[in-house]
Amino acid sequence: MDSALATLRLMAAEPSFALAQALTGLASASSLFLVAAGLSIVFGVTRVVNFAHGSFFMVGAYLAVTAIGWLGGGAAGFWGGVVVAVLGVGLLGVLVEVAILRRLYAAPELFQLLATFGVVLVIQDGALFLWGPEDLLGPRAPGLRGAVEIFGQRIPTYDLFLIAVGPVVLVLLWLAFRRTRWGVLVRAATADREMTAALGVDERRLFTGVFALGALLAGLGGALQVPRETANLHMDLNVIAEAFVVVVVGGMGSVVGAYLAALVIGVVHAFGILLFPKLTLVLVFLIMAVVLVIRPAGLLGERGAASRQGAPEAPLRPASARLRWTAAALFAALLALPAVAGGYVLVLAVDVAILALFAASLHLLLGPGGMISFGHAAYFGIGAYGAGLAWKWLAAPMVLGLAVAPLAAGIAGAAFGWLCARASGVYLAMLTLAYAQIAWSVAAQWLAVTGGDNGVLGLWPAPWAASPAAYYYLSLVLCGGGILALRLLVHAPFGQFLRAGRDAPRRAEALGVAVGAQQWLAFIVAGAFAGLAGGLFAYAKGSVFPTYLAIPRSVDGLVMVLLGGVQSLSGPVVGALAYVGLADELARGVALWRLVLGAAIIVLAVAFRRGLAGAVGDAAARP
Amino acid sequence: MRLTVDAIDAYYGGARALDGVSLAAGVGEVVALLGRNGAGKSTTLKSVMGLVATRAGTIALDGVAIGGLAANARARMGIGYVPEERRIFAGLTVAENLEVGRQPPRPGAPAWTEARILALFPALAPLRHRPGERLSGGEQQMLAIARTLMGNPGLLLLDEPSEGLAPLLVAAMADAVARLKAEGLTVLLSEQNLRFAARVADRGYVLARGRVVRDGTMAELLADRDAIGRHLSIGG
Amino acid sequence: MTLLAVDGIARSFGATVAVDGVSFGVAAGERVAMIGPNGAGKTTCFNLINGQIAPDRGRVAIDGRDTTGRSPRALQRLGVGRTFQISQVFASLTVRENVQAALVAGQGRALSPWPPLRRREAAAADRLLDQVGLAGEAERGAAALAYGDAKRLELAMVLGQGPRLLLMDEPTAGMGIDERHALMELVSGVVRGRGVGLLFTEHDMDVVFGHADRIVVLHRGRVIAAGTPAAVRADPAVREVYLGAEAPPCA
Ligand SMILES: Nc1ncnc2c1ncn2[C@@H]1O[C@H](COP(=O)(O)OP(=O)(O)OP(=O)(O)O)[C@@H](O)[C@H]1O
Ligand SMILES: Nc1ncnc2c1ncn2[C@@H]1O[C@H](COP(=O)(O)OP(=O)(O)OP(=O)(O)O)[C@@H](O)[C@H]1O
Ligand SMILES: [Mg+2]
Ligand SMILES: [Mg+2]
């Protein structure tokens, strides 16, 4: 705070300093815009939220450093290197689209997300393998090395160049989409892919082209960033989070909106770094939340008709006798586990049970609700902190802690959900991500209460539940009961109307159903169950850390649901099993474990579109 | 024959929607598919277009088997499809919707321009710059047909073209189909409006439960009280 | 008292005046058809009455109570049921569950957590499905219905809620001729039996002249004629802009 005040005073005394800072912000905005524009275009056309878009940015930067190195210094070398990098990334985009995404266009949105997340992991380890762990310092742009004096402040010439790049690309893109046949076809395919094909347009080529263009722009953003920052292995996730924000604030699919949003975010960021260095991320996400609450479709986004995509879900069927027996047999086997297995297996089994409940609660939003929640870890973490803080500050016993956990998370679900239920689709996903990020930074930075990164330590289960077997039984009962309750809810009017409101909201409203309220309640319920899982996790591990509500945990949840299959509730359970097995056992021992995990995720997403549970179900149904 | 469909089966998941459907349409012929709701009319048209996969049988356009081709390839070979639900591109203007349908002219098929098409559907002319989502149901229907004509098809598949049109426009639609026929276009249309079908079609096939149960010239079909009563639901 | 009273409602979209001062009424037990050329403003009128969109001016009243601008949900509670021009059903529910959903929603129990939807009101749902001729399709997913069948399902859902005012936008589009009449007979039975008011649009003149007690003709957003079927059929202005030569001979 003191430093913030000092900075403010400095700016008041020296307005040109503020100007310089704003120009720096605008220069960063250009790169951000390039990335976001690509992301927005790709999403608009293919409806794929491309997690790997940040990886293209990163590869662009690395490739540029390498290519400029090969081609030697000088203007030709530098700009030639940039071109090589951009084309290289474009090619990588084509590869990713043809090899992976093309097979997934008909799959549920979340599968695509999963696959592109797999690509992120693969590229991360690929870059590590090719370029090593050290940050790479790139050359400066020949001819633009100097600085220009503006109101007594020295502004790098290269920054001014970057500031100009944004509008130029913006105009070119706008012309391409509004004034060319290609642009019209792309927009048509965005609205209705099948009909576009029926009119003779080769939509596969069109999509590959669009994806390549998007990748190209990201690559350009990365390559142009080389003179300003080192190429490093964190660029991908850093830039993707901000690019998401830009795209959503601007309005999905609106390139002009993306530009405006990039300017706003870039400038806010530049000042935020000075004023509240720790809170910049929160600041950025807060802007997004405010914009979305006021304009649910972003600054310039239109609430377009929902795109026609993916076959509708099959109706829910009651559990067959076979399923009931299988579930009962499984439960009996689980009851017998402590008799045959040692402590380590029980600890793992507790993890699986908790993650299964966590994934099942997420499934309520993703499946029946049709609401993509990117920030589900928030509820898990808030539940964990609820238990942890109740213990730390009130010395609450375990039973009370386990009651506080779902309560706290349910309240958080009510608060976040109230705002979220106004948005839909990808906007909703971004909003949930925003809230999770805010919760995360509060947990990490409110040292006095949460202990910050040191977390809450020393939590211990009540004596009667302290043995591994006892805690295992406790988790089994609570998680199993939670999952069963969620299943009942989905089949009850509550869940069926969630699905109905997702299928045909106008019909539902005309029948007198308050679709928004229904979705809000779903947030509360899902939040509470995730919170219960978090509380159990806190006592299982004996500690609570901010990582419990960080993005990777949310992604864990998504991966589990998708592994298991969105269609059925058995999915999350199977997914949790597979995930714990995959991540903890198989991969962590391998050198390039991200690459292996990523490849496995991609293969699973492509091969088992309906998830493992779906695949198993199919096999069982086959005569 | 411009189009020959021979014994095709089509399924949705495990449910059979078409069961050995065969039909043919010659150059410059207007052929009607008749039948009750759910008889399989739309599915037949979608199968020809390649939007529904067929499991058995063959489909040939001008003697060339097209069964294995994707929808966009079939469209470029000269098949135009107008779906029952119209499927206008909501955010695109009328002019842009037409642009999406545009394909180079094809030998042996009439060449259309936007001007000629707007002459066929004068109601669209003042709406050129209006987004598709802001058109009324009937306006969308006209745009859907106009858009498909921009591809210069030799074979036009129309799914219930008279549906949702005001009586005056139904008459205009019948004239339009007659003019398309006069240009040498082959038209395969599905209809429940027998009066309209009788007015525009040369021959017809009656579908019931995914099978062809009767075929003949429209005059023959109309004279067959039994076929009409049982399969076409014209009632008392 | 008239059940539905529409008084001078108007609505423009940008430069397009879709509805321009329309007034008419529907009494309980009366069937009113709204006809007019494509783009005349019929669907927009429905959307204004049903609260999908708000009018620029004018008033809508149900039972003398001003309902202008109320949400579709609020209107449902006042007994307004509606079917859409492009039918809207719940694709991932079975056909029977669609009707069960409508029944349960009508009781205000959409949030209830137990028992499963499929175990509620199954018999009542089956009766309704039987009425609209979909008994054989009860177990199928609604996504699999042919176009005309989806319209019938929508009707069953709306009837299940026991509405007092029925708004139907092209209810028989996509159906065969005798099915059209059967469906309208069914609706007429409900109208007479329960004193429901019906407002519908339709481009099939057999249906309009066969099943309407009164007809309102819209052209360019204004009412150009209103009255009994015979009077409307004889109206030269209506022939000129709408019926043309297609006008069926007098029955
Ligand atoms: N997407 C789908 N999934 C599953 N079954 C379907 C699907 N579409 C159609 N069907 C079924 O296939 C059969 C034939 O349907 P189709 O749409 O071809 O009928 P139609 O003759 O065009 O009827 P209508 O006159 O009502 O349009 C029907 O039994 C229908 O229920
Ligand atoms: N959201 C909108 N924005 C702009 N114009 C609109 C919008 N909705 C409808 N219109 C226009 O208003 C006019 C009336 O449309 P409406 O859908 O009410 O016609 P309709 O009488 O139902 O026609 P149809 O019989 O073809 O369904 C049309 O010219 C249409 O293009
Ligand atoms: Mg059909
Ligand atoms: Mg209409």
Side-chain angles (χ1 to χ4, degrees):
Chain A
M1 272 296 116
D2 291 345
S3 73
L5 279 180
T7 315
L8 271 179
R9 241 177 260 129
L10 176 64
M11 278 192 228
E14 195 85 61
S16 63
F17 174 70
L19 176 79
Q21 202 57 34
L23 288 177
T24 310
L26 289 180
S28 319
S30 271
S31 276
L32 194 52
F33 165 65
L34 291 179
V35 180
L39 188 65
S40 182
I41 293 169
V42 167
F43 171 79
V45 176
T46 62
R47 297 283 141 177
V48 171
V49 177
N50 181 18
F51 242 122
H53 207 71
S55 309
F56 293 154
F57 174 82
M58 179 175 79
V59 172
Y62 272 112
L63 266 184
V65 173
T66 306
I68 296 170
W70 284 341
L71 296 173
F78 181 85
W79 296 112
V82 169
V83 170
V84 168
V86 168
L87 292 180
V89 175
L91 220 63
L92 179 64
V94 171
L95 187 75
V96 168
E97 201 273 345
V98 171
I100 302 169
L101 288 178
R102 184 174 274 194
R103 296 160 211 284
L104 285 172
Y105 287 135
E109 270 176 350
L110 278 154
F111 264 70
Q112 305 158 347
L113 208 72
L114 182 66
T116 60
F117 188 73
V119 173
V120 170
L121 293 178
V122 170
I123 291 184
Q124 246 172 24
D125 265 4
L128 175 67
F129 180 76
L130 287 175
W131 285 289
E134 308 295 326
D135 291 7
L136 293 189
L137 189 62
R140 308 233 263 135
L144 300 172
R145 283 196 185 126
V148 182
E149 192 133 327
I150 301 179
F151 295 119
Q153 297 283 334
R154 289 175 57 78
I155 310 293
T157 319
Y158 192 73
D159 279 11
L160 295 179
F161 162 74
L162 277 186
I163 292 176
V165 166
V168 170
V169 172
L170 173 64
V171 169
L172 288 179
L173 285 177
W174 191 87
L175 287 175
F177 280 104
R178 295 284 151 174
R179 289 285 179 272
T180 69
R181 173 170 168 83
W182 183 80
V184 171
L185 296 184
V186 165
R187 284 158 56 218
T190 306
D192 188 339
R193 187 181 307 155
E194 190 185 63
M195 191 63 225
T196 309
L199 289 169
V201 179
D202 186 345
E203 81 281 20
R204 289 165 69 114
R205 268 204 356 232
L206 199 64
F207 279 25
T208 309
V210 168
F211 201 83
L213 174 66
L216 223 112
L217 286 170
L220 180 63
L224 289 183
Q225 202 60 7
V226 161
R228 299 182 85 218
E229 66 174 313
T230 58
N232 62 67
L233 290 172
H234 305 291
M235 295 174 98
D236 54 353
L237 287 182
N238 285 346
V239 81
I240 194 72
E242 284 196 7
F244 273 163
V245 174
V246 167
V247 168
V248 168
V249 168
M252 225 59 215
S254 164
V255 180
V256 181
Y259 183 67
L260 291 181
L263 291 187
V264 172
I265 305 275
V267 171
V268 164
H269 205 128
F271 285 103
I273 282 253
L274 287 181
L275 296 173
F276 316 102
K278 281 182 179 166
L279 291 177
T280 37
L281 198 58
V282 181
L283 211 61
V284 166
F285 278 102
L286 266 179
I287 294 177
M288 173 167 97
V290 170
V291 169
L292 286 192
V293 166
I294 298 168
R295 287 188 63 90
L299 291 176
L300 295 184
E302 275 179 37
R303 269 213 158 162
S307 73
R308 218 170 247 285
Q309 203 142 63
E313 245 178 40
L316 297 178
R317 302 292 176 192
S320 61
R322 185 150 155 208
L323 182 64
R324 280 166 204 255
W325 281 112
T326 315
L330 186 69
F331 195 69
L334 288 175
L335 282 180
L337 190 64
V340 294
Y344 178 64
V345 172
L346 289 186
V347 168
L348 265 188
V350 167
D351 279 3
V352 171
I354 290 172
L355 288 180
L357 178 59
F358 174 56
S361 72
L362 175 58
H363 172 265
L364 180 70
L365 296 181
L366 291 182
M371 299 181 283
I372 305 180
S373 169
F374 258 11
H376 209 59
Y379 310 114
F380 186 83
I382 287 172
Y385 269 102
L389 295 179
W391 171 81
K392 180 174 174 184
W393 296 106
L394 308 172
M398 183 185 80
V399 175
L400 188 62
L402 286 184
V404 168
L407 199 70
I411 291 172
F416 296 170
W418 186 79
L419 293 168
C420 291
R422 300 151 151 260
S424 61
V426 187
Y427 295 98
L428 181 87
M430 295 297 124
L431 259 185
T432 53
L433 180 67
Y435 291 128
Q437 282 308 94
I438 291 171
W440 169 77
S441 50
V442 169
Q445 277 154 24
W446 200 5
L447 285 176
V449 173
T450 63
D453 282 332
N454 296 328
V456 181
L457 301 175
L459 230 63
W460 202 246
W464 57 266
S467 78
Y471 202 75
Y472 166 76
Y473 281 126
L474 177 69
S475 307
L476 191 62
V477 167
L478 287 181
C479 295
I483 291 171
L484 198 64
L486 281 167
R487 182 186 154 90
L488 291 180
L489 265 183
V490 169
H491 287 252
F494 172 75
Q496 293 279 35
F497 274 105
L498 261 184
R499 304 171 80 231
R502 173 199 66 191
D503 290 351
R506 283 207 298 163
R507 172 82 274 158
E509 290 276 340
L511 289 178
V513 177
V515 175
Q518 202 97 17
Q519 292 175 338
W520 183 53
L521 258 171
F523 261 97
I524 298 178
V525 172
F529 279 109
L532 178 61
L536 278 169
F537 197 68
Y539 280 100
K541 298 293 167 211
S543 50
V544 185
F545 296 109
T547 50
Y548 288 13
L549 17 74
I551 293 183
R553 165 80 40 187
S554 293
V555 172
D556 285 350
L558 288 170
V559 170
M560 284 184 282
V561 172
L562 299 172
L563 272 182
V566 194
Q567 283 93 345
S568 69
L569 235 184
S570 50
V573 181
V574 179
L577 249 175
Y579 192 71
V580 171
L582 207 66
D584 288 350
E585 296 301 287
L586 182 142
R588 293 257 148 82
V590 183
L592 295 172
W593 67 268
R594 281 196 212 87
L595 199 141
V596 175
L597 182 64
I601 289 179
I602 294 172
V603 169
L604 283 172
V606 173
F608 299 105
R609 272 209 218 151
R610 296 183 42 225
L612 293 175
V616 172
D618 284 353
R622 224 165 277 140
Chain B
M1 281 290 133
R2 170 135 291 161
L3 172 73
T4 342
V5 172
D6 190 23
I8 55 169
D9 288 355
Y11 291 77
Y12 291 104
R16 188 199 289 254
L18 296 184
D19 183 2
V21 167
S22 301
L23 53 88
V27 175
E29 201 178 18
V30 178
V31 175
L33 294 176
L34 306 166
R36 289 174 187 269
N37 290 139
K41 304 181 293 297
S42 300
T43 308
T44 305
L45 296 181
K46 285 181 191 165
S47 304
V48 173
M49 191 65 232
L51 298 176
V52 168
T54 49
R55 286 215 198 143
T58 56
I59 303 175
L61 183 72
D62 294 322
V64 182
I66 57 169
L69 297 180
N72 69 72
R74 297 189 198 197
R76 285 197 301 276
M77 289 180 69
I79 304 183
Y81 168 65
V82 181
E84 204 163 9
E85 319 90 325
R86 292 143 199 173
R87 297 171 74 166
I88 296 302
F89 302 114
L92 273 58
T93 63
V94 168
E96 287 173 332
N97 265 283
L98 293 176
E99 174 63 25
V100 177
R102 188 164 63 79
Q103 293 286 337
R106 190 172 302 96
W112 292 90
T113 59
E114 195 181 312
R116 277 188 68 209
I117 289 175
L118 291 181
L120 197 62
F121 299 108
L124 291 179
L127 307 176
R128 274 195 84 231
H129 296 293
R130 187 172 296 181
E133 65 199 334
R134 309 224 171 122
L135 301 179
S136 81
E139 290 159 356
Q140 292 189 2
Q141 175 72 304
M142 290 180 260
L143 176 56
I145 296 177
R147 181 177 66 180
T148 301
L149 286 179
M150 287 294 285
N152 306 305
L155 167 66
L156 189 59
L157 310 172
L158 297 178
D159 204 348
E160 310 218 4
S162 76
E163 195 51 70
L165 292 187
L168 267 177
L169 279 177
V170 173
M173 184 64 67
D175 291 344
V177 173
R179 281 175 56 191
L180 297 176
K181 173 184 159 75
E183 303 244 9
L185 226 77
T186 302
V187 180
L188 180 62
L189 51 85
S190 88
E191 256 311 328
Q192 306 215 32
N193 181 341
L194 262 191
R195 205 181 294 150
F196 180 82
R199 192 150 144 200
V200 300
D202 305 308
R203 288 189 305 115
Y205 293 85
V206 180
L207 290 175
R209 292 169 198 281
R211 294 165 177 267
V212 175
V213 292
R214 180 91 170 74
D215 72 275
T217 64
M218 280 312 288
E220 286 166 7
L221 291 180
L222 288 172
D224 183 345
R225 303 297 312 170
D226 177 57
I228 288 177
R230 258 203 319 196
H231 303 299
L232 296 182
S233 75
I234 201 145
Chain C
M1 185 192 311
T2 44
L3 180 60
L4 170 70
V6 175
D7 185 17
I9 51 169
R11 170 74 195 218
S12 318
F13 299 103
T16 323
V17 184
V19 173
D20 187 9
V22 167
S23 306
F24 63 91
V26 178
E30 187 185 32
R31 299 167 301 173
V32 177
M34 181 181 276
I35 63 174
N38 294 111
K42 302 179 296 293
T43 299
T44 309
C45 258
F46 270 54
N47 288 339
L48 291 171
I49 296 171
N50 162 245
Q52 300 280 343
I53 55 179
D56 297 334
R57 60 190 153 81
R59 224 176 71 96
V60 179
I62 290 171
D63 273 337
R65 187 174 347 175
D66 191 341
T67 61
T68 318
R70 295 256 190 111
S71 72
R73 209 145 31 86
L75 286 160
Q76 184 272 341
R77 267 180 259 128
L78 292 174
V80 179
R82 166 176 193 177
T83 64
F84 293 88
Q85 183 165 356
I86 309 268
S87 56
Q88 306 254 321
V89 296
F90 303 134
S92 66
L93 271 56
T94 65
V95 169
R96 182 188 291 121
E97 282 166 356
N98 266 273
V99 183
Q100 290 173 298
L103 292 167
V104 170
Q107 300 159 352
R109 292 179 191 272
L111 294 178
S112 107
W114 174 262
L117 179 65
R118 80 178 74 83
R119 280 202 238 138
R120 301 199 174 198
E121 307 290 344
D126 281 341
R127 272 198 302 282
L128 283 158
L129 286 177
D130 200 35
Q131 272 186 351
V132 298
L134 284 178
E137 315 275 343
E139 294 292 336
R140 299 184 72 185
L145 287 183
Y147 191 72
D149 289 341
K151 296 222 120 176
R152 273 196 278 248
L153 173 56
E154 221 192 0
L155 174 62
M157 293 166 77
V158 173
L159 287 184
Q161 295 204 320
R164 300 172 47 230
L165 174 65
L166 253 179
L167 305 175
M168 305 183 79
D169 199 355
E170 303 201 14
T172 71
M175 293 186 183
I177 295 176
D178 71 345
E179 290 163 312
R180 290 174 189 239
H181 287 293
L183 187 102
M184 289 313 290
E185 278 307 326
L186 168 70
V187 175
S188 297
V190 173
V191 167
R192 279 189 299 267
R194 298 193 214 152
V196 171
L198 169 67
L199 176 67
F200 69 104
T201 69
E202 195 54 69
H203 286 302
D204 182 325
M205 288 307 106
D206 291 336
V207 170
V208 169
F209 288 108
H211 299 276
D213 302 316
R214 220 150 48 75
I215 298 176
V216 176
V217 187
L218 237 55
H219 181 51
R220 304 218 167 122
R222 292 165 185 269
V223 176
I224 57 163
T228 61
V232 164
R233 194 180 341 220
D235 190 316
V238 178
R239 282 187 169 270
E240 158 93 28
V241 304
Y242 186 63
L243 296 174
E246 275 267 323
C250 290

